[in-house]
Amino acid sequence: AQSVAQPEDQVNVAEGNPLTVKCTYSVSGNPYLFWYVQYPNRGLQFLLKYITGDNLVKGSYGFEAEFNKSQTSFHLKKPSALVSDSALYFCAVENNNDMRFGAGTRLTVKP
Amino acid sequence: DVKVTQSSRYLVKRTGEKVFLECVQDMDHENMFWYRQDPGLGLRLIYFSYDVKMKEKGDIPEGYSVSREKKERFSLILESASTNQTSMYLCATLQGGSYEQYFGPGTRLTVT
């Protein structure tokens, strides 16, 4: 069975600094990997996905993620954080129509 | 844009009550899902449906049932609500052949 781990419950960064939200996965076969974001009192919104091809995936709001097969990781990154990026971020892995979500990482960007 | 709506944003029910959570989508997606979201646990799949009148159990179906009589509507039913079912409930849809799920705004259910 596949699983996703987000090792950090909370990430704090200063506005303008780069941010990284970590995700590792365990799956047999080729994974489909996703990042979703949840703003306060709202449902999850799709940010980006890796299905195949280039290991660096670009998504919404300036976010990107790098698929690293050898380290089984799919970390979310942004070169310059905004206060409005503060939200709850979920990594997910899908295999054979079975999608698993991580526990979530709360990102706080301070002015 | 895909629109997924849920019948209530906040709901308070008493232990033992029967609770209905409704989800409606307007994009003709085949697949619909019910998750519950709890702090530190992420999203856990309760039930999903790949077609009308079709349902499959997810990881935590105990205490829940679902109904999909029409393609656009997927209902989650708590037959006899219990306090451990206090949670945020999220509905999602997925078009066949796609990978991106679309989520509703969620229903925060409190069972007292």
Side-chain angles (χ1 to χ4, degrees):
Chain A
Q2 61 231 34
S3 63
V4 177
Q6 294 181 241
E8 301 158 316
D9 294 334
Q10 174 92 30
V11 171
N12 298 314
V13 298
E15 188 175 29
N17 283 0
L19 70 86
T20 298
V21 183
K22 295 179 180 178
C23 173
T24 60
Y25 65 90
S26 173
V27 65
S28 57
N30 295 320
Y32 298 155
L33 297 158
F34 305 82
W35 277 101
Y36 285 83
V37 60
Q38 185 179 37
Y39 297 103
N41 299 316
R42 296 176 69 175
L44 274 69
Q45 296 179 32
F46 171 80
L47 267 183
L48 51 79
K49 66 178 182 283
Y50 172 83
I51 304 299
T52 187
D54 194 349
N55 289 344
L56 184 64
V57 178
K58 294 188 183 297
S60 307
Y61 312 121
F63 284 93
E64 59 188 27
E66 186 168 11
F67 170 62
N68 188 318
K69 189 172 184 177
S70 63
Q71 296 186 7
T72 61
S73 66
F74 190 56
H75 301 331
L76 182 70
K77 299 182 180 183
K78 187 173 182 180
S80 179
L82 301 173
V83 172
S84 57
D85 292 330
S86 298
L88 189 56
Y89 290 81
F90 290 95
C91 182
V93 60
E94 194 266 344
N95 190 27
N96 290 327
N97 293 319
D98 182 9
M99 181 169 276
R100 301 285 167 152
F101 287 84
T105 298
R106 185 164 298 281
L107 173 68
T108 302
V109 181
K110 298 181 179 179
Chain B
D1 283 349
V2 174
K3 190 170 183 181
V4 183
T5 58
Q6 295 183 229
S7 51
S8 305
R9 294 298 303 274
Y10 300 94
L11 207 54
V12 179
K13 295 293 183 181
R14 293 189 182 275
T15 300
E17 280 192 86
K18 191 169 186 177
V19 181
F20 293 87
L21 302 182
E22 302 283 334
C23 176
V24 178
Q25 52 113 348
D26 67 355
M27 283 300 291
D28 205 36
H29 287 180
E30 291 88 352
N31 309 296
M32 297 187 75
F33 306 82
W34 275 107
Y35 295 91
R36 63 177 282 175
Q37 179 184 357
D38 300 289
L41 297 176
L43 275 70
R44 293 179 292 167
L45 182 63
I46 305 171
Y47 268 96
F48 60 96
S49 169
Y50 287 147
D51 203 350
V52 175
K53 296 190 185 296
M54 181 274 182
K55 59 187 178 184
E56 293 285 344
K57 293 180 180 179
D59 296 324
I60 51 166
E62 296 78 18
Y64 303 94
S65 63
V66 290
S67 172
R68 193 166 181 201
E69 296 296 319
K70 294 183 178 182
K71 191 174 185 179
E72 67 270 17
R73 188 180 297 268
F74 192 35
S75 302
L76 181 69
I77 303 155
L78 286 66
E79 296 291 342
S80 178
S82 63
T83 55
N84 62 13
Q85 293 178 309
T86 292
S87 186
M88 170 71 86
Y89 290 87
L90 295 172
C91 174
T93 72
L94 175 71
Q95 187 169 7
S98 176
Y99 304 101
E100 176 186 340
Q101 291 192 16
Y102 293 86
F103 285 83
T107 296
R108 187 168 294 281
L109 173 67
T110 302
V111 183
T112 62

